[in-house]
Amino acid sequence: MDSIRIRGGKPLSGKIRISGAKNAALPILCATLLSDGESLLRNVPALRDIDTTSALLRFLGRDVEVAPPLVRVGAGDNVRPEAPYELVKQMRASVMVLGPLLARFGRAKVSLPGGCQIGTRPVDQHLKGLEALGATIRLSRGYIVAECKRLRGAEVVFDLPTVTGTENLMMAAALAKGRTTLVNCAREPEVEELGRVLNKMGARVSGAGTDVIHIEGADELEPFDHAIISDRIEAGTYMVAAAAAGGDVLIENAPLEDLEAVAAKLRQAGVEVGREGDCVRVRRDGRPLRAVDITTAPHPGFPTDMQAQFMVLMCLAQGTSRIVETIFENRFMHVPELSRMGAHIDVDGHTAHVHGGAPLSGATVMATDLRASASLVIAGLVATEGETEVLRVYHLDRGYEFMERKLAQLGADTVRVEGRAG
Ligand code: EPZ
């Protein structure tokens, strides 16, 4: 397993480019199952989650060629609509093959994704929605077994906004007979992007990106050629890294319009964030950071995927910051590791109080989930004493394309150590 070694204390400067959005690419890869033609995805990042999804599509019988930033999904000869535990357990988002397989083949057997480090991650809303479209769903020995000769349009009201739940239902409804209305949908930009792709395929989707989405299903759908939007969470991560390390950074291809909650909190903390051409410019000189409170929320609120990164910034601020995590039940795994680096953080259930101002010192730390890993790298950038080694960076490689290279491009002293046991 690789690790990343960081010598901190250096301000960042220069320019980096943001890659395509992982959480847009994953549902769009699943959407290729809705048609048997050859689809082409562009601006796809080189990430483990892309490889995992491609392996699943191959297992399902599709011909997939991954050459980032291009992914080509060719016709399959005999698609078998079964997604095994061995593949689904690697990545929860694999559950998004359920909707397309059921809609296209009238049946699907997909392993229940199970929980992960950040929570139990149930899929009850996915299943409730598919039943509303006429599917019979049963759970058998850890698998979801779904059947329906032809899904038919219906109204589905989600109990809570779920990103992949909304996306699963959009894809199922795209081949259902008649009109489907999804209510209380997730409003993330990646949901809106999936709506664009389904429209290219011949469905008629309106309202994607809002909390009510209408889908007129088609009898069959066409393959597509689509360039994925850029990754707002990758962009937000580098904005926070620049704010934490200090300096003056240009982030190319960053979707600032999808990061307003994060930009607002950075500005409140005393960081300069603005547009410069098609870049976002983040600047922080030696001025002290102010402690600010954040509460995570569904888009357009403060993203849960930015909580761990922002917590590191608050370790440097003057005063105490209250951070409330409302989306997942266990998304403070980065706290013990940050504490080992000298951070003063008290956790009480879903709330963390970050007592800023204590200097962070380098340490060997363990990554646990994707965004916690990113927060440990940022902590290494700001540790003024000693070196930091982040172990098990395969977590990081799930969602960040060449992070150590992009940081080095900004002047950070970061290097990947291959094959480090730990
Ligand atoms: C998506 O996960 C993202 N993943 C996550 O990003 C992100 O953290 C999350 O949305 C929230 O924004 C992808 O898009 C591939 P949810 P998802 O369903 O869809 C509960 C990353 O770091 N829930 O929106 O799995 C659930 O437990 C990853 O890139 C149900 O109760 O999240 C959670 O508390 C991590 N029943 C809340 O809803 C359901 O059927 C939101 O989860 C579904 C969800």
Side-chain angles (χ1 to χ4, degrees), residues 48-268:
R48 276 183 66 227
D49 276 6
I50 300 297
D51 295 338
T52 303
T53 308
S54 304
L56 177 54
L57 293 178
R58 286 190 195 100
F59 182 87
L60 293 169
R62 296 302 289 261
D63 171 33
V64 185
E65 190 184 328
V66 179
L70 289 181
V71 172
R72 186 188 58 77
V73 180
D77 30 29
N78 63 333
V79 181
R80 56 169 173 268
E82 300 198 6
Y85 175 68
E86 294 68 30
L87 286 172
V88 174
K89 74 174 171 16
Q90 293 177 36
M91 186 189 67
R92 287 183 31 72
S94 309
V95 73
M96 283 192 288
V97 299
L98 178 61
L101 289 174
L102 177 60
R104 180 90 195 288
F105 300 102
R107 64 187 178 84
K109 183 179 177 188
V110 176
S111 169
L112 274 164
C116 71
Q117 294 277 17
I118 63 179
T120 53
R121 314 287 299 271
V123 291
D124 58 296
Q125 300 296 309
H126 301 234
L127 305 184
K128 178 185 114 168
L130 293 173
E131 285 178 327
L133 298 187
T136 54
I137 305 265
R138 62 188 171 82
L139 303 184
S140 161
R141 304 182 65 202
Y143 277 78
I144 303 161
V145 181
E147 288 173 350
C148 182
K149 196 157 171 42
R150 173 79 194 266
L151 296 172
R152 62 182 184 283
E155 178 172 273
V156 176
V157 182
F158 291 109
D159 297 339
L160 77 173
T162 154
V163 175
T164 51
T166 301
E167 293 164 341
N168 226 340
L169 266 294
M170 288 167 72
M171 292 187 276
L175 272 181
K177 187 165 184 53
R179 181 184 176 85
T180 294
T181 299
L182 304 178
V183 181
N184 196 19
C185 298
R187 294 181 280 172
E188 272 69 4
E190 295 78 28
V191 174
E192 188 172 3
E193 177 75 340
L194 177 63
R196 291 186 197 98
V197 169
L198 292 174
N199 280 328
K200 278 189 178 180
M201 297 180 77
R204 284 213 307 281
V205 179
S206 60
T210 75
D211 60 344
V212 179
I213 302 175
H214 298 287
I215 301 117
E216 283 295 339
D219 292 335
E220 70 175 52
L221 293 170
E222 297 305 314
F224 58 86
D225 178 336
H226 189 77
I228 309 279
I229 53 172
S230 56
D231 194 315
R232 64 192 167 94
I233 304 299
E234 184 197 17
T237 300
Y238 287 109
M239 288 164 67
V240 169
D248 185 348
V249 165
L250 280 174
I251 304 173
E252 198 181 352
N253 212 26
L256 188 59
E257 65 282 358
D258 294 333
L259 282 163
E260 273 314 323
V262 174
K265 287 297 179 183
L266 285 171
R267 292 181 185 121
Q268 201 184 329

Side-chain angles (χ1 to χ4, degrees), residues 332-350:
F332 285 143
M333 259 94 52
H334 40 290
V335 171
E337 295 300 89
L338 292 176
S339 304
R340 291 183 55 242
M341 296 177 75
H344 292 172
I345 306 169
D346 302 325
V347 172
D348 175 12
H350 287 257

